[in-house]
Amino acid sequence: MVWRRDYSRKEVEELLAALERQARDAMALADKATRDMGDDRFASFLDFRKKVEEVRALVALTEERLTNLTDSKLDDLRAEFERMDVLLSTLLIKATRNYFLSMRDDQVLPIGARELFEPELRIISEMRSKLTRPQFAGRVAQSTIDELDETADMVRKVMARAPSLPDFSDAPSPPKRVKRLASLGRPIRT
């Protein structure tokens, strides 16, 4: 048995309003992270990343709620959500791009910076595949897709010079495969 709840128009409107508030907060944190880059501080970038993940979770929740609504009178909310989704994606792309543009080539990166920036590539790839879907065909400018690609290149460039976390394990490399004796698989006869 599948339990399914019907969502009202008001609940979806509240989700859209919450999405807008979260996006505003994310943009403020992006500005702070960019300003802090001049002082070689990376903690505010983590705050920005957390807020972006909250925004992405809220987008997924809103999208799921809208797909479960069967009321045809909610087409305006669906159109508003898609408009907001494209706008949010564009703003997050620009904020991420500005952050990596503010990073100097001789910037000292903290240990573990590679692991800090690895999720960025995954998120950029997901955004690119999402924004190139047919439903967004006329709504997303080619310059936005180009900015995504440029941002991914910037992230790769930073990651190439970023130190990774040290490996404190006992074995510096994965253990080698051990060959089993051929006779172990045969039954023993007495």
Side-chain angles (χ1 to χ4, degrees):
M1 175 182 270
V2 176
W3 295 96
R4 190 171 171 178
R5 179 175 176 228
D6 291 330
Y7 299 101
S8 69
R9 178 182 184 89
K10 184 177 180 189
E11 288 173 319
V12 174
E13 287 173 348
E14 288 172 359
L15 281 173
L16 289 174
L19 192 59
E20 196 171 330
R21 283 191 307 274
Q22 292 287 341
R24 246 185 268 120
D25 293 346
M27 292 301 104
L29 288 172
D31 290 340
K32 184 177 185 308
T34 303
R35 282 192 313 271
D36 287 352
M37 179 52 61
D39 298 329
D40 292 334
R41 292 186 293 181
F42 292 87
S44 55
F45 181 74
L46 288 175
D47 295 337
F48 168 66
R49 288 295 335 132
K50 288 176 190 172
K51 187 56 77 171
V52 167
E53 290 303 318
E54 289 176 17
V55 169
R56 292 181 64 207
L58 197 54
V59 164
L61 178 67
T62 307
E63 190 172 28
E64 187 265 333
R65 296 272 169 95
L66 280 171
T67 55
N68 287 335
L69 287 174
T70 56
D71 193 359
S72 62
K73 296 177 185 175
L74 298 175
D75 289 338
D76 61 326
L77 287 180
R78 285 184 183 90
E80 176 65 17
F81 170 72
E82 288 179 1
R83 183 194 67 76
M84 192 179 287
D85 191 18
V86 169
L87 178 66
L88 283 174
S89 297
T90 305
L91 289 174
L92 293 175
I93 292 164
K94 288 184 186 304
T96 305
R97 185 170 188 265
N98 289 340
Y99 178 79
F100 283 98
L101 275 174
S102 70
M103 208 177 276
R104 299 182 318 268
D105 285 338
D106 63 344
Q107 181 106 29
V108 176
L109 299 171
I111 292 175
R114 183 174 296 149
E115 288 79 10
L116 175 68
F117 298 135
E118 278 178 352
E120 292 300 315
L121 287 177
R122 179 184 48 83
I123 290 169
I124 289 170
S125 174
E126 288 173 4
M127 276 189 188
R128 189 178 199 297
S129 65
K130 177 180 181 179
L131 294 177
T132 54
R133 287 184 202 158
Q135 72 189 46
F136 295 115
R139 300 181 201 172
V140 179
Q142 183 60 39
S143 61
T144 303
I145 303 298
D146 294 341
E147 281 183 7
L148 264 174
D149 295 336
E150 289 172 14
T151 305
D153 290 340
M154 282 187 252
V155 172
R156 283 188 200 96
K157 182 180 168 186
V158 169
M159 284 177 56
R161 65 183 179 87
S164 63
L165 289 172
D167 183 11
F168 293 113
S169 65
D170 292 335
S173 60
K176 295 180 182 177
R177 294 188 65 188
V178 178
K179 290 186 178 181
R180 302 280 179 202
L181 297 176
S183 62
L184 288 179
R186 297 183 188 150
I188 299 174
R189 294 185 185 163
T190 56

